[in-house]
């Protein structure tokens, strides 16, 4: 793998059942040419492996970590406990509470260990990728230019929409 192809982001999810939503996160990163490591790792089911993956992420060249989970969604907080890389949390819909459980579990971090929390579900998965690109763009002007071009295209599309 060349230096340019090295993954800059990691996407973690608590279960393979989260992938149907989180694939949109990877697709969005790919639209910006940002490679990522994608892993199923759980705060509850694989706590030691989660800690090991996150603790070694910075030395592998990862600059931002996206963590998605449903139900008692502790993954993003558990990830943030092991790194000072920015951690973006995506709460996912569960079977009983529509994702409100995961939203509160992800967003309500006590002071000192932040998690930047996105919307529940697909919107959050896509926005986590865009926000990750915005973070990576601080050092990469070509990403900033693409972000600006995409915002412009989005606005033009909306302004051009006809209702009937
Ligand atoms: C969480 O529990 C996962 O992130 C997933 O959203 C939820 C249910 O997991 P499974 O029972 O489908 O594996 O840890």
């Amino acid at each position: 793998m060349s230096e340019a192809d090295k993954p800059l982001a990691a996407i973690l999810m608590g279960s393979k059942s989260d992938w149907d939503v989180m694939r949109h996160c990877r697709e969005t990163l790919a639209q910006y040419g940002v490679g990522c490591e994608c892993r199923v790792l759980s705060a509850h089911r694989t706590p030691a492996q989660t800690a090991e993956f996150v603790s070694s992420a910075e030395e592998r060249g990862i600059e931002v970590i996206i963590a998605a989970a449903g139900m008692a969604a502790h993954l993003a907080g558990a990830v943030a406990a092991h790194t000072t890389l920015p951690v973006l949390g995506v709460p996912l819909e569960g079977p009983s509470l529509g994702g409100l459980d995961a939203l509160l579990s992800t967003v309500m971090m006590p002071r000192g260990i932040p998690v930047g929390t996105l919307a529940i579900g697909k919107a959050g998965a896509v926005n986590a990728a865009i926000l990750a690109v915005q973070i990576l763009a601080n050092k990469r002007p070509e990403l900033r230019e693409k972000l600006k071009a995409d915002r412009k295209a989005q606005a033009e599309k909306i302004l051009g929409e006809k209702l009937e």
Side-chain angles (χ1 to χ4, degrees), residues 27-60:
E27 282 167 16
T28 305
L29 287 174
Q31 285 163 16
Y32 287 90
V34 172
C36 63
E37 298 176 348
C38 295
R39 291 283 302 274
V40 175
L41 284 169
S42 163
H44 309 282
R45 293 162 173 165
T46 62
Q49 293 84 350
T50 301
E52 162 56 27
F53 179 92
V54 174
S55 302
S56 57
E58 190 175 348
E59 65 198 41
R60 290 197 307 279

